[in-house]
Each structure stands twice: as C-alpha cells, then as structure tokens.
Amino acid sequence: MIAQPSCASPTMSSPKLKEVSVRLPKDYGRPDEPWHHYFTIDLIWTTLGYTVFHPFVSWVVCLCLRAQYTPYGAPEMRIAVAWAMAMSMIGIFNIFSDRIAFGRPREIDLAEEVIVITGGVDGLGGLLAETYGMRNANVAVLDTKKVGDEEAEDKGVLYYECDISDPKQVEAAAAEILEDLGPPTILINNAGISRPKSILDSTAEEVEQTFRTNTLSHFTTLRTFLPHMIKERRGTIVTVASVLGHLGAANLASYTASKAALIALHQSLRAELAQNPDAEEIKTILVTPGQMGTEMFAGLKTPSNFLAPVVTPAELAKDILRVIERGESGEIAVPLYAKYAPVMNVLPVGVQAIVRRLSGVDKAIAGSGLVGKTTSEKK
C-alpha cells in the first residue's frame, strides 16, 4: 500500500507568504490622554443625534408609553408625540434641503473610479490614499516626495513625483495617469503648506508660494482633470480648505487667505457645474476642518479641548470617505464649532471681538512657537 503524503508532509512545498510592512500612525509626540480628554461637546452632540434628536428613537418612546397604557391625553404622552413629530419634520426638511441643494447622489463603484489625491504621501492625504489602496481602488497620488516602487506596490497606490504648484508638471502627471489608469473621476485636492508669520515679516515670495500651492494649484488640477469628468459625465471633486478660511487668524494671514479663496472657489465651481448639463453627475465636497492632529500644526494647543477638540486625520478621512462613497455632494465641517464658524461673520462686531479673545485664536500661533516655521501637507 502506497502512503499518500499528508497536508502536513514536509515534502509538499507551501507557497511563501508575502511579507507586508506595517507602519503605525504617527502621534507626533503626543502622550496618551486620560479618559476625560475624549469627553467633548462633539461626543455629546453625536450621542444626542442618535438618541434624543433621532426621529426613530422619539417614536419608540411614544410606543413605550403606550405599552404602559399611558392615555393619549396624558401630558407626557402629548409631549412625546409632539417631540417625535418635530424631529420627523426636521429630518424630512433636511432630506429635501439636501436634495434641492445637491441633487440626487450618483452611483459609486470603486472598480470603475480613478482617484487622484494631491499631497497624498503623509497626513490626511496619505491616509486616504492608503485606505483606497487597501481596497484595491485605482489611486494616483501627486506629491513632491518620492516613494519607492516596493512601498508603492505594498500600498497599492501609484505615486507621481509632481509639484502641483507647477502647471506643466501637473499636466505631465495627468497624461501618465490617463495612460496608466484611465480618465480620473475623483479628485481630492488636499495638498497645502503653512508659513506662520506676521504680515510685515512675510516676503512676497513666501506669500506667492503659499497661494500657488494652496489655491492656484486647485485651478490647475480643475482645468486638468475636470474635462475628463465632464466627458465621462460623472465625478467627485473634494476641496480641502480650513475653518480658518471663515475666521482668519494672526500670524497666519497667507494661509487663511488662501483657504478663504478655496471656499469661494468651491461655491463658484458648484455654480458653473450647475449650468453644464453634462456635469449633472459631478459632485462637489467642501471640507473645512478645525485644528487637525497633523505635523502642520504640531505643538499648537487648543484653547478648550471640550469645546474645540483636535481632529485626528482618521476622523476626518472617515467622513470624507463616507460622503464620496455615497455619491453625494456636501460640506464636511468638524469638530462641531467648525460647522457654525460662518455665523461669526453675522454677529455684532463687539460680540465677535469678545469671542475671538475668549477663544485665543489670534494668540495660538505665537504661543505655540510655530512662527517662522514652514510646514507642509504635500511633502
């Protein structure tokens, strides 16, 4: 009788598993925080949104009261029904409001999309690129930092060494992307630099470079990639700005001005796309985050962790991915105060001055020691 080799037999050669290097996220020297550090107004607001302010939960309360044989005429029953109806009406209003403003969502199939991310080696852009790469999406990154072929293959991302402030380099990279992956359908304009200096200390060259990278590059990428989206009759454009574009801040004039220009550019882009019948399926997303826990503003302390917590790249990336993959247009503003920052501009000037003093927004950069340092999200 001939003995058959078992599965564990050493004579059978097993395929060699590919080793994949894993890099832990950077913490930029931030120590572990106690539990109460994560107790913020954003956490409270999110919890309320899934409980007290949720229409479904509100109606469940009404059903629970009826299960206890609470009469319809009882005060608590009337209050519960009125609250549930109010939450339902607000929810319906928001659905219609979004539909009127942004139209119907488009269908997203990552296998059919070509994603271009500027500044996608580190920070928020790097996290987005690696996430899509792990999901076998077609991802192209434009960045000044060179990435090795082996590292790029491990991440499943194509990297193109490109200075997005130079239109010729962007056009050359676009031609390669078109040949390698096909027509781009998702553009995430993420790259940016910051030069914390007072207006008087800033040189003309520094201000120009900030605007070329933070603002003019968006015009370049739109002129380069938007025609392909219009031809394909589908697409998504993500504009990463900043809440400081609404507020401004001392020692950040060039940065905040360049981000304010992006907010206006986004609104103009939406208006132009609305007039083009071939752009009905092209969605736009404006991202205006507060302080992010990236290297750009490492060392900057938030005035109140409860009211103005630092946003991690993972939190912001999750929101961006969610809106993109729903095929929707929209605005992403985190943390909570960033959503209501534009209200500052309609408050009486005296109230604005008091809020700015209490928030410490104009003293934060000088107090953190960042003045004179150049930081970048496109390295």
Side-chain angles (χ1 to χ4, degrees):
M1 185 174 182
I2 300 175
Q4 298 292 333
S6 65
C7 293
S9 174
T11 59
M12 296 183 65
S13 59
S14 58
K16 186 178 180 181
L17 296 177
K18 181 180 178 180
E19 295 183 0
V20 179
S21 60
V22 177
R23 294 184 302 170
L24 295 177
K26 296 180 181 179
D27 60 3
Y28 301 109
R30 294 194 302 272
D32 292 335
E33 303 290 350
W35 69 267
H36 56 77
H37 175 83
Y38 303 97
F39 183 73
T40 66
I41 192 172
D42 288 71
L43 178 61
I44 295 174
W45 186 256
T46 302
T47 304
L48 291 175
Y50 283 105
T51 54
V52 178
F53 296 135
H54 199 287
F56 178 79
V57 176
S58 301
W59 285 112
V60 167
V61 172
C62 298
L63 293 176
C64 291
L65 289 174
R66 281 302 299 156
Q68 297 177 352
Y69 299 103
T70 305
Y72 286 107
E76 60 269 29
M77 191 65 182
R78 290 183 175 182
I79 293 173
V81 170
W83 181 262
M85 292 179 65
M87 294 301 100
S88 299
M89 291 175 63
I90 292 173
I92 294 172
F93 173 82
N94 289 334
I95 292 173
F96 277 98
S97 176
D98 289 345
R99 181 59 60 88
I100 293 172
F102 305 125
R104 299 177 60 182
R106 74 181 184 93
E107 293 185 5
I108 296 288
D109 182 0
L110 289 182
E112 301 295 329
E113 306 287 339
V114 175
I115 306 165
V116 177
I117 304 174
T118 65
V121 172
D122 293 323
L124 173 65
L127 184 57
L128 290 170
E130 292 180 31
T131 300
Y132 275 128
M134 288 187 294
R135 298 171 62 182
N136 294 322
N138 303 305
V139 187
V141 166
L142 306 184
D143 206 299
T144 55
K145 185 176 181 180
K146 188 173 183 180
V147 176
D149 293 338
E150 185 176 350
E151 181 181 353
E153 184 179 356
D154 289 340
K155 294 179 179 179
V157 177
L158 292 181
Y159 292 89
Y160 300 84
E161 192 174 356
C162 172
D163 185 352
I164 61 167
S165 64
D166 184 349
K168 292 183 179 180
Q169 291 191 37
V170 174
E171 292 172 4
E176 293 184 43
I177 293 172
L178 192 63
E179 183 178 351
D180 295 339
L181 299 175
T185 55
I186 297 177
L187 171 63
I188 303 178
N189 276 319
N190 165 76
I193 61 174
S194 171
R195 298 179 185 273
K197 282 188 177 182
S198 69
I199 297 173
L200 297 180
D201 291 337
S202 301
T203 65
E205 290 77 12
E206 290 172 339
V207 174
E208 181 181 355
Q209 182 59 33
T210 300
F211 271 85
R212 287 181 65 86
T213 302
N214 293 4
T215 306
L216 298 182
S217 66
H218 286 241
F219 283 90
T220 301
T221 54
L222 286 174
R223 288 196 305 267
T224 304
F225 297 112
L226 182 55
H228 297 290
M229 298 183 191
I230 294 176
K231 185 177 180 180
E232 294 288 318
R233 301 177 71 92
R234 62 190 174 94
T236 299
I237 299 170
V238 181
T239 302
V240 180
S242 170
V243 68
L244 292 178
H246 294 297
L247 303 175
N251 297 305
L252 275 178
S254 60
Y255 177 80
T256 57
S258 66
K259 293 299 184 178
L262 289 183
I263 296 174
L265 171 61
H266 170 80
Q267 299 297 343
S268 298
L269 173 64
R270 283 192 59 204
E272 292 188 12
L273 292 176
Q275 298 175 4
N276 190 332
D278 292 334
E280 184 178 355
E281 293 293 311
I282 297 179
K283 303 301 177 180
T284 58
I285 302 171
L286 176 65
V287 185
T288 53
Q291 181 183 340
M292 275 206 301
T294 61
E295 192 173 6
M296 179 175 284
F297 292 112
L300 181 63
K301 287 190 175 181
T302 177
S304 170
N305 188 70
F306 178 75
L307 296 175
V310 176
V311 180
T312 65
E315 292 171 330
L316 186 57
K318 179 185 67 175
D319 289 340
I320 294 173
L321 293 171
R322 173 176 53 82
V323 179
I324 289 177
E325 292 175 24
R326 284 183 178 178
E328 299 175 342
S329 292
E331 296 185 4
I332 300 172
V334 288
L336 184 62
Y337 78 88
K339 184 177 297 184
Y340 299 100
V343 178
M344 270 281 291
N345 298 320
V346 301
L347 295 176
V349 290
V351 176
Q352 293 186 39
I354 293 173
V355 172
R356 294 187 75 90
R357 280 199 290 267
L358 292 176
S359 67
V361 63
D362 295 321
K363 296 182 179 180
I365 295 297
S368 65
L370 291 176
V371 176
K373 296 182 179 180
T374 301
T375 52
S376 169
E377 288 295 337
K378 69 163 188 170
K379 291 182 180 178

